[in-house]
Amino acid sequence: MRFLSHFSMAVALAAAGTLAISAVPQEAHAQKKKKDKAPKLEISKEIRPKVAAIQQAMASETPATAKPLVEALLAEPLAGDDLFIAGQLAIQLGSSLKDTGLQEQGINASLQSGKTSAEQQPSFLFFAGNFAYSAGRFAEAQQKLQQSYDAGYRQNNIGALIAEAYFKENKIQEGLAALDRALEEQKTAGNKAPEDWYRRGAGMAMKNNVNGAAGKWTYKLVEAYPTGENWRAALSVYRDSANPKLSNQENLELMRLMRKADAMESERDYFEYADAADPRRLPGEVVSLLEEGLAKGDVPSSSAYVKETLAAARGSVSADKASLPASERDAKSSANGKIALATADALLGYAEYEKAAALYQAAITKGGVDTARAQMGLGIANVGKSDWTAAKQAFASVTGGRKSIADFWSLWIDQQAAGSAAPAPAAS
């Protein structure tokens, strides 16, 4: 049994809100006024009277009358100091009139003049890029915002804004790289980036089927914000974006972690888990799982699936348990680890963690089995014993397609040690 994809969750993550910041460069003119030693400007004789007229109009009771004068001045073939002065007048008047179009003209004129100071250059580039973004000129926004970033500007969430400029043009790889850089820089500085940044990256990675990126970004999300909701989102997004698709056994390993992380919250979660465990193969674990879901009210007692699956699992438990002692004896005498692995799986389902761990180790030692699968089982059994060190050692040994699942388990263990999330009761 398979259920509908959690793609809607990815859409919700991707729509966590674009990260663009609409900033108004009122600081631009103010920065110039704060300078103790502003650079000396030489205005040409031709534009001095025009500048005086603009200043007079700006100082009047109707400063809006200065706008056509400023626009006319900007339309002239100015350069150097003249162009810089015209740009500064446009910024000042645009700020006063709350006219972003005039501000943008002023910012660009100041930059084009070549006279913008080294101190002002980064912020001017940022505002130029922000204006371009707001106008939908995303390629221009990417260029100017990146120039600002490279010049050291770090205000107004510029790193996230660069990412959004790429996302708007469907340049997902470039956007994720920009967002990743912004997150890492925040971390290096000892800060914690907003949760929306992580959710945005995870959602965009999955929604656009970026190979390998969904797992990376969901990991980042739950690493920074380890809530039950985020654990559920992270593991669900990872599962649904896995390429190749997870096997039933791999899905079971993931769902066991979802249960440990207290992230099971819908009947779909329980049904996915029960389906992966299979009431014929691991009846004890299926009974424990569905009874837990019923007790929490997460699954309806009226569900035909619950009734049928519980009946099948309960009907198999006695015979399954009775067969285990013989299986344990056979596992010890077998030339390879296949019986040990199967028996360890069954014991794990009954929360017999000590016995399960010993048999998983025996399976690995004897060989003839999928070692990564056995290492995963060993890690999970050690988690059941609350032996975090042994569990992490087992998960660290996992290679191949299961490595990402093992990494999620190791992250969860680290969070228990750090006290960032309360350990969930062991499955029984």
Side-chain angles (χ1 to χ4, degrees):
M1 173 190 284
R2 293 294 294 172
F3 294 88
L4 294 176
S5 166
H6 287 79
F7 185 75
S8 58
M9 184 177 297
V11 174
L13 287 174
T18 57
L19 307 177
I21 304 299
S22 180
V24 178
Q26 296 187 20
E27 68 186 63
H29 183 71
Q31 284 182 356
K32 179 176 180 293
K33 293 173 66 176
K34 290 178 182 178
K35 300 295 176 186
D36 293 330
K37 295 181 179 180
K40 186 175 181 180
L41 299 171
E42 296 290 340
I43 308 174
S44 65
K45 292 186 292 184
E46 290 77 13
I47 75 161
R48 285 179 188 170
K50 298 173 184 177
V51 169
I54 290 170
Q55 292 175 325
Q56 184 177 5
M58 289 172 59
S60 71
E61 295 181 358
T62 55
T65 59
K67 181 177 178 179
L69 302 179
V70 171
E71 291 177 330
L73 183 59
L74 287 171
E76 294 186 19
L78 305 177
D81 292 350
D82 290 348
L83 184 56
F84 182 77
I85 287 293
Q88 293 294 292
L89 291 171
I91 293 171
Q92 184 179 5
L93 181 60
S95 298
S96 176
L97 300 179
K98 295 182 173 53
D99 185 329
T100 56
L102 193 58
Q103 287 179 298
E104 181 178 11
Q105 291 182 65
I107 288 287
N108 287 329
S110 297
L111 288 169
Q112 292 165 14
S113 73
K115 297 293 183 176
T116 305
S117 69
E119 292 80 7
Q120 288 180 313
Q121 186 89 2
S123 61
F124 274 38
L125 284 166
F126 168 78
F127 289 120
N130 187 63
F131 282 129
Y133 180 95
S134 298
R137 304 190 307 273
F138 301 117
E140 179 185 343
Q142 294 158 21
Q143 180 185 32
K144 290 182 176 176
L145 289 170
Q146 189 62 57
Q147 289 174 343
S148 174
Y149 191 95
D150 293 343
Y153 190 87
R154 293 296 184 272
Q155 300 175 48
N156 292 307
N157 297 329
I158 184 174
L161 185 55
I162 293 172
E164 281 301 318
Y166 282 114
F167 291 152
K168 290 296 186 182
E169 288 200 319
N170 205 36
K171 296 178 179 178
I172 308 304
Q173 295 276 21
E174 293 89 338
L176 290 174
L179 190 54
D180 190 25
R181 181 180 62 180
L183 291 172
E184 290 304 312
E185 187 166 87
Q186 288 281 323
K187 188 184 297 184
T188 300
N191 301 321
K192 193 172 185 179
E195 184 174 358
D196 279 353
W197 291 20
Y198 293 92
R199 294 177 70 85
R200 182 66 166 162
M204 291 302 290
M206 183 184 178
K207 183 180 178 183
N208 294 276
N209 297 317
V210 179
N211 289 338
K216 170 185 173 182
W217 278 91
T218 51
Y219 184 95
K220 284 177 174 290
L221 168 65
V222 81
E223 179 183 36
Y225 293 92
T227 64
E229 177 186 1
N230 283 344
W231 267 109
R232 180 174 184 270
L235 297 179
S236 298
V237 166
Y238 170 76
R239 176 185 58 201
D240 290 343
S241 63
N243 186 16
K245 180 181 283 189
L246 299 183
S247 67
N248 266 1
Q249 179 62 31
E250 291 167 334
N251 195 26
L252 175 60
E253 293 156 5
L254 202 70
M255 296 304 292
R256 283 169 170 164
L257 176 55
M258 187 179 286
R259 188 180 182 187
K260 277 287 185 185
D262 197 24
M264 306 276 290
E265 61 179 44
S266 74
E267 62 183 277
R268 177 183 293 176
D269 296 331
Y270 287 87
F271 294 175
E272 285 271 7
Y273 190 152
D275 183 48
D278 192 337
R280 298 163 297 182
R281 187 169 73 94
L282 298 173
E285 187 164 359
V286 172
V287 170
S288 168
L289 170 75
L290 292 180
E291 286 182 346
E292 178 183 295
L294 287 168
K296 289 183 175 181
D298 290 337
V299 296
S301 58
S302 60
S303 165
Y305 174 82
V306 172
K307 291 178 181 178
E308 293 170 6
T309 305
L310 264 179
R314 285 168 174 164
S316 301
V317 167
S318 294
D320 188 51
K321 279 188 172 181
S323 70
L324 289 177
S327 294
E328 290 180 62
R329 289 193 298 272
D330 291 343
K332 293 177 182 178
S333 61
S334 176
N336 60 50
K338 292 180 180 179
I339 298 176
L341 180 61
T343 307
D345 285 344
L347 289 166
L348 183 63
Y350 290 112
E352 295 279 355
Y353 300 122
E354 288 283 356
K355 290 182 177 180
L359 283 175
Y360 279 124
Q361 187 60 63
I364 294 167
T365 302
K366 287 174 177 286
V369 299
D370 182 339
T371 302
R373 181 188 184 295
Q375 290 285 9
M376 281 297 305
L378 178 59
I380 295 170
N382 283 320
V383 166
K385 296 193 301 175
S386 296
D387 188 342
W388 308 129
T389 300
K392 285 201 67 174
Q393 288 174 347
F395 291 134
S397 300
V398 175
T399 58
R402 281 183 163 87
K403 185 179 186 309
S404 293
I405 301 174
D407 288 344
F408 274 120
W409 272 99
S410 292
L411 174 61
W412 181 82
I413 291 171
D414 289 341
Q415 290 171 352
Q416 310 319 298
S420 59
S428 59

